[in-house]
């Protein structure tokens, strides 16, 4: 299958694109669109995380669950929203921790594209959603694909920092070779759980410390 995705990822993931489960995902999306369902993010943005962060450039992975399901929010980067869209509560809490950890100002925009450009793969485990129906595409096969993505990173790279926020993300730890990579765990930044271990986790500074120890350039976490 000829999937429109950044070249290095296309090479790494080509065998996944040839699998029956991936054809089933594509078929499901086509059927829902034919039924006039609204699906987020827009088609050309489904693989935005990969397009903005080529395989060779991945230094850090932040794992989300599924895209925002409101109009104009999702654009293929986990926790991120388009410019001009009000940051959702979890993203507001991420910005609070960023400020407390690194002293950076609260950004005016909730667009995390700059992080992606700096080597942070902003990966949702589920890459699409029906409008106003959270987790509506959780059973169509996306997790098989994104689990493969995590495995490929684990197998073919070294020294990547995985930020796993909340139980859903933490349950993916088994996919990561802990002898080759770093895993930082915390509560989810949701208002329901941020005070139980997300605030104060200092994952942004810790990520950069781990990168410096490997003689890699730290990530510029500023968004202004």
């Amino acid at each position: 299958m000829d999937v429109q995705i950044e070249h290095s990822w296309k090479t790494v993931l080509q065998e996944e694109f040839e699998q029956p489960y991936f054809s089933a995902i594509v078929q499901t999306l086509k059927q829902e669109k034919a039924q006039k369902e609204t699906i987020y993010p827009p088609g050309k943005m489904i693989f935005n995380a990969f397009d903005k962060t080529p395989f060779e450039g991945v230094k850090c992975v932040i794992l989300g669950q599924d895209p925002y399901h409101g109009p104009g929010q999702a654009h293929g980067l986990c926790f991120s929203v388009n410019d001009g869209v009000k940051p959702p509560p979890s993203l507001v809490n991420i910005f609070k921790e960023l400020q407390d950890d690194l002293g950076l100002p609260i950004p005016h925009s909730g667009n995390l594209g700059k992080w992606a450009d700096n080597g942070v793969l902003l990966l949702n485990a589920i890459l699409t959603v029906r409008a106003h129906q959270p987790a509506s595409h959780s059973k169509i096969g996306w997790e098989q694909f994104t689990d493969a993505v995590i495995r490929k990173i684990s197998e073919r790279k070294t020294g990547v920092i995985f930020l796993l926020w909340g139980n859903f993300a933490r349950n993916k730890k088994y996919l990561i070779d802990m002898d080759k990579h770093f895993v930082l765990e915390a509560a989810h930044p949701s208002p329901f759980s941020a005070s139980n271990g997300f605030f104060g986790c200092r994952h942004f500074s810790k990520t950069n410390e781990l990168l410096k120890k490997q003689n890699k350039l730290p990530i510029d976490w500023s968004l202004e």
Side-chain angles (χ1 to χ4, degrees):
M1 182 177 294
D2 185 23
V3 176
Q4 299 303 304
I5 193 171
E6 190 274 333
H7 177 72
S8 64
W9 281 110
K10 190 167 189 174
T11 301
V12 169
L13 296 171
Q14 188 58 51
E15 62 188 36
E16 300 303 317
F17 298 141
E18 304 300 333
Q19 296 295 321
Y21 83 84
F22 196 86
S23 296
I25 293 172
V26 173
Q27 194 60 35
T28 297
L29 297 178
K30 286 181 177 178
Q31 287 175 351
E32 292 196 5
K33 287 181 180 177
Q35 295 163 359
K36 306 301 182 185
E37 293 280 3
T38 298
I39 296 171
Y40 298 130
K44 67 181 186 298
M45 304 299 282
I46 290 173
F47 295 115
N48 194 25
F50 303 90
D51 294 337
K52 291 186 74 64
T53 313
F55 184 77
E56 293 84 0
V58 175
K59 298 178 181 179
C60 172
V61 178
I62 297 178
L63 188 65
Q65 190 162 354
D66 72 325
Y68 297 122
H69 52 87
Q73 291 180 305
H75 64 137
L77 307 178
C78 73
F79 292 107
S80 180
V81 291
N82 281 301
D83 291 323
V85 176
K86 182 181 178 181
S90 291
L91 185 54
V92 170
N93 286 338
I94 290 170
F95 289 160
K96 288 178 181 176
E97 177 60 23
L98 186 68
Q99 184 178 51
D100 289 344
D101 186 8
L102 296 176
L104 295 172
I106 300 291
H108 292 96
S109 171
N111 190 331
L112 304 181
K114 186 178 174 185
W115 291 0
D117 293 336
N118 267 267
V120 183
L121 182 67
L122 296 165
L123 180 66
N124 273 318
I126 302 152
L127 295 186
T128 57
V129 68
R130 285 195 299 272
H132 311 298
Q133 297 179 51
S136 49
H137 284 172
S138 62
K139 307 296 186 187
I140 71 170
W142 278 128
E143 282 196 73
Q144 187 170 347
F145 175 71
T146 54
D147 283 359
V149 171
I150 296 168
R151 283 197 186 95
K152 298 287 189 189
I153 295 170
S154 179
E155 291 166 2
R156 301 193 187 189
K157 297 181 72 70
T158 57
V160 174
I161 299 102
F162 291 83
L163 307 186
L164 306 183
W165 298 337
N167 290 334
F168 180 89
R170 289 164 128 165
N171 286 337
K172 302 290 185 180
K173 188 163 73 167
Y174 77 97
L175 299 166
I176 303 162
D177 185 341
M178 302 288 286
D179 293 327
K180 293 171 59 183
H181 303 283
F182 305 93
V183 172
L184 301 179
E185 300 179 57
H188 195 277
S190 159
F192 300 106
S193 55
S195 296
N196 295 325
F198 179 76
F199 290 140
C201 71
R202 302 184 66 83
H203 278 185
F204 305 104
S205 60
K206 288 177 179 177
T207 294
N208 279 352
E209 287 165 10
L210 290 168
L211 289 170
K212 288 175 185 175
K213 285 179 181 177
Q214 301 177 73
N215 295 315
K216 296 178 181 178
L217 281 175
I219 291 160
D220 179 4
W221 293 107
S222 65
L223 290 166
E224 289 297 282

Short mmCIF file of all heavy atoms in Angstrom, two decimals, residues 57-86:
data_model
loop_
_atom_site.label_atom_id
_atom_site.label_comp_id
_atom_site.label_asym_id
_atom_site.label_seq_id
_atom_site.Cartn_x
_atom_site.Cartn_y
_atom_site.Cartn_z
N GLY A 57 15.53 11.45 13.46
CA GLY A 57 15.59 12.58 14.37
C GLY A 57 14.91 12.38 15.70
O GLY A 57 14.93 13.28 16.56
N VAL A 58 14.30 11.21 15.94
CA VAL A 58 13.54 11.00 17.18
C VAL A 58 14.49 10.91 18.37
O VAL A 58 15.35 10.02 18.45
CB VAL A 58 12.69 9.71 17.09
CG1 VAL A 58 12.01 9.44 18.44
CG2 VAL A 58 11.65 9.82 15.99
N LYS A 59 14.34 11.86 19.30
CA LYS A 59 15.10 11.84 20.55
C LYS A 59 14.22 11.47 21.74
O LYS A 59 14.70 10.92 22.73
CB LYS A 59 15.69 13.24 20.82
CG LYS A 59 16.67 13.75 19.81
CD LYS A 59 17.09 15.16 20.23
CE LYS A 59 18.06 15.78 19.24
NZ LYS A 59 18.43 17.16 19.66
N CYS A 60 12.95 11.81 21.63
CA CYS A 60 12.02 11.67 22.74
C CYS A 60 10.66 11.30 22.17
O CYS A 60 10.31 11.75 21.07
CB CYS A 60 11.96 13.00 23.51
SG CYS A 60 10.69 13.12 24.79
N VAL A 61 9.92 10.48 22.90
CA VAL A 61 8.56 10.11 22.49
C VAL A 61 7.60 10.47 23.62
O VAL A 61 7.82 10.06 24.77
CB VAL A 61 8.44 8.60 22.19
CG1 VAL A 61 6.99 8.25 21.81
CG2 VAL A 61 9.39 8.19 21.08
N ILE A 62 6.58 11.26 23.32
CA ILE A 62 5.47 11.48 24.24
C ILE A 62 4.29 10.72 23.69
O ILE A 62 3.91 10.89 22.53
CB ILE A 62 5.14 12.98 24.39
CG1 ILE A 62 6.34 13.73 24.99
CG2 ILE A 62 3.91 13.16 25.29
CD1 ILE A 62 6.11 15.24 25.14
N LEU A 63 3.71 9.86 24.52
CA LEU A 63 2.64 8.99 24.05
C LEU A 63 1.29 9.46 24.59
O LEU A 63 1.09 9.56 25.80
CB LEU A 63 2.90 7.56 24.51
CG LEU A 63 1.96 6.50 23.94
CD1 LEU A 63 2.13 6.39 22.43
CD2 LEU A 63 2.21 5.15 24.59
N GLY A 64 0.38 9.74 23.66
CA GLY A 64 -0.99 10.08 24.01
C GLY A 64 -1.92 8.93 23.68
O GLY A 64 -1.48 7.87 23.21
N GLN A 65 -3.22 9.15 23.89
CA GLN A 65 -4.18 8.06 23.67
C GLN A 65 -4.86 8.19 22.32
O GLN A 65 -4.55 7.44 21.41
CB GLN A 65 -5.20 8.02 24.80
CG GLN A 65 -6.08 6.78 24.76
CD GLN A 65 -6.78 6.52 26.08
OE1 GLN A 65 -6.54 7.18 27.08
NE2 GLN A 65 -7.65 5.53 26.09
N ASP A 66 -5.80 9.14 22.17
CA ASP A 66 -6.40 9.33 20.86
C ASP A 66 -6.63 10.81 20.63
O ASP A 66 -6.53 11.62 21.55
CB ASP A 66 -7.68 8.49 20.69
CG ASP A 66 -8.85 9.01 21.50
OD1 ASP A 66 -8.65 9.52 22.61
OD2 ASP A 66 -9.98 8.88 21.02
N PRO A 67 -6.93 11.21 19.39
CA PRO A 67 -7.00 12.63 19.07
C PRO A 67 -8.16 13.34 19.77
O PRO A 67 -9.15 12.72 20.17
CB PRO A 67 -7.22 12.64 17.55
CG PRO A 67 -6.79 11.29 17.07
CD PRO A 67 -7.08 10.36 18.20
N TYR A 68 -8.02 14.64 19.92
CA TYR A 68 -9.15 15.46 20.36
C TYR A 68 -10.28 15.30 19.35
O TYR A 68 -10.05 15.15 18.15
CB TYR A 68 -8.75 16.93 20.44
CG TYR A 68 -7.67 17.23 21.45
CD1 TYR A 68 -6.47 17.83 21.06
CD2 TYR A 68 -7.84 16.95 22.80
CE1 TYR A 68 -5.47 18.14 21.99
CE2 TYR A 68 -6.84 17.24 23.73
CZ TYR A 68 -5.67 17.84 23.32
OH TYR A 68 -4.70 18.14 24.24
N HIS A 69 -11.51 15.37 19.84
CA HIS A 69 -12.66 15.05 18.98
C HIS A 69 -13.55 16.25 18.68
O HIS A 69 -14.65 16.10 18.16
CB HIS A 69 -13.50 13.93 19.61
CG HIS A 69 -13.89 14.19 21.04
ND1 HIS A 69 -15.02 14.90 21.36
CD2 HIS A 69 -13.29 13.86 22.20
CE1 HIS A 69 -15.10 14.99 22.68
NE2 HIS A 69 -14.06 14.36 23.22
N GLY A 70 -13.06 17.47 19.01
CA GLY A 70 -13.82 18.67 18.70
C GLY A 70 -13.33 19.33 17.42
O GLY A 70 -12.21 19.07 16.96
N PRO A 71 -14.14 20.20 16.82
CA PRO A 71 -13.78 20.85 15.56
C PRO A 71 -12.48 21.64 15.67
O PRO A 71 -12.27 22.41 16.62
CB PRO A 71 -14.96 21.78 15.29
CG PRO A 71 -16.10 21.21 16.08
CD PRO A 71 -15.49 20.60 17.30
N GLY A 72 -11.59 21.45 14.72
CA GLY A 72 -10.38 22.25 14.60
C GLY A 72 -9.28 21.94 15.59
O GLY A 72 -8.22 22.59 15.56
N GLN A 73 -9.50 20.98 16.49
CA GLN A 73 -8.49 20.72 17.51
C GLN A 73 -7.36 19.83 17.02
O GLN A 73 -6.20 20.22 17.03
CB GLN A 73 -9.16 20.07 18.74
CG GLN A 73 -10.09 20.96 19.52
CD GLN A 73 -10.71 20.22 20.71
OE1 GLN A 73 -11.30 19.15 20.56
NE2 GLN A 73 -10.56 20.79 21.89
N ALA A 74 -7.70 18.61 16.61
CA ALA A 74 -6.67 17.61 16.31
C ALA A 74 -5.93 17.93 15.02
O ALA A 74 -6.53 18.30 14.01
CB ALA A 74 -7.32 16.23 16.19
N HIS A 75 -4.61 17.79 15.09
CA HIS A 75 -3.81 17.94 13.86
C HIS A 75 -2.66 16.93 13.83
O HIS A 75 -1.60 17.18 13.27
CB HIS A 75 -3.34 19.38 13.67
CG HIS A 75 -2.39 19.88 14.73
ND1 HIS A 75 -1.28 20.62 14.43
CD2 HIS A 75 -2.40 19.77 16.07
CE1 HIS A 75 -0.63 20.93 15.54
NE2 HIS A 75 -1.30 20.43 16.55
N GLY A 76 -2.88 15.78 14.45
CA GLY A 76 -1.95 14.68 14.31
C GLY A 76 -0.79 14.65 15.28
O GLY A 76 0.08 13.79 15.16
N LEU A 77 -0.77 15.56 16.25
CA LEU A 77 0.27 15.58 17.29
C LEU A 77 -0.42 15.42 18.64
O LEU A 77 -1.33 16.19 18.96
CB LEU A 77 1.05 16.90 17.27
CG LEU A 77 1.66 17.35 15.94
CD1 LEU A 77 2.35 18.70 16.11
CD2 LEU A 77 2.63 16.30 15.40
N CYS A 78 0.00 14.45 19.44
CA CYS A 78 -0.69 14.22 20.71
C CYS A 78 -0.59 15.43 21.62
O CYS A 78 0.43 16.12 21.66
CB CYS A 78 -0.16 12.97 21.40
SG CYS A 78 1.45 13.09 22.15
N PHE A 79 -1.65 15.70 22.33
CA PHE A 79 -1.82 16.80 23.29
C PHE A 79 -1.85 18.18 22.63
O PHE A 79 -2.16 19.18 23.29
CB PHE A 79 -0.72 16.78 24.37
CG PHE A 79 -0.81 15.61 25.31
CD1 PHE A 79 0.10 14.58 25.23
CD2 PHE A 79 -1.81 15.54 26.26
CE1 PHE A 79 0.02 13.48 26.09
CE2 PHE A 79 -1.90 14.46 27.13
CZ PHE A 79 -0.98 13.42 27.05
N SER A 80 -1.56 18.28 21.35
CA SER A 80 -1.41 19.56 20.66
C SER A 80 -2.71 19.96 19.96
O SER A 80 -3.49 19.11 19.55
CB SER A 80 -0.28 19.43 19.62
OG SER A 80 -0.09 20.62 18.90
N VAL A 81 -2.93 21.26 19.85
CA VAL A 81 -4.05 21.78 19.07
C VAL A 81 -3.54 22.82 18.07
O VAL A 81 -2.45 23.38 18.24
CB VAL A 81 -5.15 22.42 19.96
CG1 VAL A 81 -5.87 21.35 20.77
CG2 VAL A 81 -4.59 23.51 20.87
N ASN A 82 -4.33 23.07 17.06
CA ASN A 82 -3.97 24.07 16.06
C ASN A 82 -3.89 25.47 16.68
O ASN A 82 -4.52 25.76 17.69
CB ASN A 82 -5.02 24.08 14.94
CG ASN A 82 -4.84 22.95 13.95
OD1 ASN A 82 -3.79 22.83 13.33
ND2 ASN A 82 -5.86 22.12 13.81
N ASP A 83 -3.11 26.32 16.02
CA ASP A 83 -3.07 27.73 16.42
C ASP A 83 -4.48 28.30 16.44
O ASP A 83 -5.30 28.00 15.56
CB ASP A 83 -2.21 28.53 15.43
CG ASP A 83 -0.74 28.18 15.51
OD1 ASP A 83 -0.25 27.94 16.62
OD2 ASP A 83 -0.09 28.13 14.45
N GLY A 84 -4.76 29.13 17.44
CA GLY A 84 -6.06 29.77 17.53
C GLY A 84 -7.11 28.96 18.24
O GLY A 84 -8.23 29.44 18.45
N VAL A 85 -6.78 27.71 18.62
CA VAL A 85 -7.71 26.85 19.35
C VAL A 85 -7.34 26.89 20.83
O VAL A 85 -6.17 26.77 21.19
CB VAL A 85 -7.66 25.40 18.82
CG1 VAL A 85 -8.57 24.49 19.65
CG2 VAL A 85 -8.07 25.37 17.35
N LYS A 86 -8.33 27.05 21.69
CA LYS A 86 -8.08 27.11 23.12
C LYS A 86 -7.44 25.81 23.61
O LYS A 86 -7.96 24.72 23.34
CB LYS A 86 -9.40 27.34 23.87
CG LYS A 86 -9.25 27.47 25.38
CD LYS A 86 -10.60 27.67 26.04
CE LYS A 86 -10.46 27.74 27.56
NZ LYS A 86 -11.78 27.91 28.23
#
